């Protein structure tokens, strides 16, 4: 492991909270697929399954920033323990409702309850890194780079695990294991008090305000939404492309090449000591991402597409990592977890949006045309990000 990462894991308490965070957020790549596999097996309808999964995603987008706000105010442990117990109970109820074949409408409130109590654990872990490295802020980009690698590992392995459990063991097994990972990982994280950021209670007489009142978050949230749209659209377009080429079984390999490119770039990015300003790196990343998403639109051979998407993936982490860094820099300490959770959940919403839009394009025009969806989302992300950074810069100079 390169020396910057060895130094990172020399931070007291880092290894235990990283391990807890890895286990606890395995579910983020498993829950959606687990719900689809379980509900479709019970009802025989993928339409109902997709609607139930979407209900969980929307409620998660509402609940995750709110839970993070309470964590900033009262401390992670005080919020995490009751929330994750409620989450485990909600998934238990959901699985029971499905297994007992209760009326279909009962699945929707159960899914909403599970989504509202699902925390954006990656944001909570990044907030811990910010606190643990408060005396060494230059090393924070290495920590965020490592977390991006962890995210990629989770999104590669999670879908395979949940699919195998649901198809080989039992339709509910994948979702049950995902919920168990959340419970175990979150309780393990809550037990680690030394690395927990101190609570920052609201001052008496001061009204609580949402982190969306922060101009930088208003810029970063739609950018991350569009980046999530890129990821969701790539997933659907890649699967459809492999099927059209007559090699549907190779779809996982194709998407794995994309994730591998992002993971390799994250390791390289985190091992470097950067001199250029973070804002500039973020804007360059957005522009580079737009450029590397042009070739997939032009390719019509599966193995060549694998090569191309690997290089497309190289632009992901050098965009996401400074993006999180900017959120950490511009967000006040008393709102840090909420700010990180807000942009993280916007990625989740973007995943759903990208999958939906690209799926419709595949049905109407084919897989090759669907690669225009991630390209279009990347263009929008670049336009919002570059113009937004300039506006924030002007605001800083004038204040």
């Amino acid at each position: 492991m390169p020396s910057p990462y060895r130094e990172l894991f020399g931070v007291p308490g880092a290894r235990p909270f990283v391990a807890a965070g890895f286990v606890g957020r395995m579910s983020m790549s498993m829950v959606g697929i687990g719900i689809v596999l379980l509900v479709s097996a019970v009802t025989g309808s993928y339409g109902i399954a997709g609607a139930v999964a979407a209900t969980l995603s929307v409620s998660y987008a509402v609940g995750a920033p709110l839970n993070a706000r309470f964590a900033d105010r009262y401390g992670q442990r005080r919020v995490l323990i009751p929330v994750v117990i409620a989450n485990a109970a909600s998934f238990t109820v959901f699985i029971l409702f499905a297994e007992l074949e209760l009326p279909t409408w009962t699945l929707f409130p159960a899914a909403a309850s599970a989504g509202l109590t699902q925390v954006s654990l990656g944001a909570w872990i990044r907030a811990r890194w910010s606190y643990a490295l408060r005396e060494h802020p230059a090393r924070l980009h290495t920590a965020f780079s490592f977390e991006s690698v962890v995210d990629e590992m989770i999104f590669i392995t999670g879908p395979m695990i949940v699919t195998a459990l649901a198809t080989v063991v039992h339709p509910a097994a994948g979702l049950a294991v995902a919920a168990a990972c959340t419970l175990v990982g979150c309780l393990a994280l809550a037990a680690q008090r030394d690395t927990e950021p101190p609570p920052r209670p609201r001052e008496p007489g001061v009204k609580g305000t949402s982190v969306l009142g922060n101009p930088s978050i208003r810029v970063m949230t739609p950018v991350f939404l569009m980046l999530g749209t890129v990821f969701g659209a790539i997933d659907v377009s890649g699967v459809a492309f492999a099927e059209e080429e007559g090699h549907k079984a190779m779809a996982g390999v194709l998407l794995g090449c994309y994730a591998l490119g992002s993971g390799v770039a994250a390791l390289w990015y985190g091992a470097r000591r950067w001199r250029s300003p973070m804002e500039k790196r973020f804007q360059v990343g957005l522009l580079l991402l737009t450029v590397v998403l042009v070739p997939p639109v032009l390719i019509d051979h599966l193995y060549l597409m694998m090569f191309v998407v690997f290089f497309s993936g190289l632009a992901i982490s050098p965009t996401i990592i400074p993006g999180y860094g900017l959120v950490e820099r511009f967000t006040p300490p008393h709102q840090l977890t909420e700010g990180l959770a807000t942009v993280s959940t916007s990625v989740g919403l973007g995943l759903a949006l990208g999958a939906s839009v690209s799926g419709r394009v595949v049905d109407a025009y084919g897989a090759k045309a669907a690669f225009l969806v991630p390209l279009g989302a990347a263009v929008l992300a670049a336009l919002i990000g570059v113009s937004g950074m300039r506006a924030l810069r002007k605001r800083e100079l004038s204040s």
Side-chain angles (χ1 to χ4, degrees), residues 215-259:
S216 64
I217 299 297
R218 290 202 299 269
V219 170
M220 300 303 292
T221 298
V223 173
F224 273 71
L225 176 69
M226 287 297 102
L227 291 176
T229 304
V230 171
F231 308 152
I234 283 286
D235 285 351
V236 173
S237 303
V239 171
F241 182 84
E243 185 173 7
E244 284 187 4
E245 291 294 302
H247 299 282
K248 187 177 181 179
M250 297 297 291
V253 178
L254 176 62
L255 298 179
C257 290
Y258 187 70

Side-chain angles (χ1 to χ4, degrees), residues 27 29-43 45-46 48-57 59 91 94-95 98 107-108 110-112 114-115 118 162 166 171-172 174-176 178:
S27 63
S29 66
M30 299 171 68
V31 166
I33 299 174
I35 286 177
V36 169
L37 291 170
L38 173 58
V39 176
S40 62
V42 172
T43 65
S45 170
Y46 279 97
I48 294 174
V52 174
T55 299
L56 183 137
S57 296
S59 59
F91 273 114
F94 180 87
I95 292 172
L107 298 176
F108 289 90
Q118 190 90 359
V162 70
L175 191 58

Side-chain angles (χ1 to χ4, degrees), residues 2-275:
S3 59
Y5 294 102
R6 285 202 301 268
E7 294 173 5
L8 193 66
F9 285 95
V11 174
R15 294 185 183 189
F17 80 69
V18 165
F22 176 78
V23 174
R25 68 188 200 259
M26 273 297 296
S27 63
M28 71 181 184
S29 66
M30 299 171 68
V31 166
I33 299 174
I35 286 177
V36 169
L37 291 170
L38 173 58
V39 176
S40 62
V42 172
T43 65
S45 170
Y46 279 97
I48 294 174
V52 174
T55 299
L56 183 137
S57 296
V58 172
S59 59
Y60 166 69
V62 174
L66 190 60
N67 292 326
R69 182 190 301 184
F70 291 143
D72 283 328
R73 188 177 301 173
Y74 302 111
Q76 290 190 1
R77 183 175 184 273
R78 287 182 63 187
V79 176
L80 195 55
I81 292 176
V83 167
V84 74
I85 291 174
N87 181 255
S90 297
F91 273 114
T92 301
V93 169
F94 180 87
I95 292 172
L96 285 174
F97 282 5
E99 287 296 306
L100 294 173
E101 298 187 19
L102 296 186
T104 301
W105 68 264
T106 62
L107 298 176
F108 289 90
S113 176
L116 286 170
T117 53
Q118 190 90 359
V119 297
S120 179
L121 201 60
W124 297 50
I125 295 296
R126 286 175 171 88
R128 288 211 175 210
W129 276 122
S130 296
Y131 176 68
L133 297 174
R134 60 194 180 280
E135 296 179 2
H136 307 280
R139 292 159 64 182
L140 196 58
H141 87 281
T142 303
F144 284 3
S145 298
F146 176 78
E147 291 303 318
S148 291
V149 175
V150 172
D151 287 341
E152 295 298 345
M153 290 172 59
I154 288 170
F155 275 102
I156 291 172
T157 58
M160 292 188 291
I161 293 171
V162 70
T163 303
L165 289 169
T167 55
V168 176
V169 180
H170 188 277
L175 191 58
V177 169
C181 285
T182 298
L183 179 64
V184 171
C186 288
L187 290 179
L189 184 66
Q192 300 172 42
R193 306 298 299 275
D194 292 343
T195 55
E196 180 183 3
R200 299 178 183 272
R202 191 173 64 195
E203 296 180 9
V206 178
K207 279 191 172 184
T209 57
S210 168
V211 74
L212 291 174
N214 186 320
S216 64
I217 299 297
R218 290 202 299 269
V219 170
M220 300 303 292
T221 298
V223 173
F224 273 71
L225 176 69
M226 287 297 102
L227 291 176
T229 304
V230 171
F231 308 152
I234 283 286
D235 285 351
V236 173
S237 303
V239 171
F241 182 84
E243 185 173 7
E244 284 187 4
E245 291 294 302
H247 299 282
K248 187 177 181 179
M250 297 297 291
V253 178
L254 176 62
L255 298 179
C257 290
Y258 187 70
L260 179 63
S262 180
V264 168
L267 286 173
W268 168 80
Y269 185 94
R272 289 200 50 161
R273 301 294 185 189
W274 295 91
R275 295 182 180 179

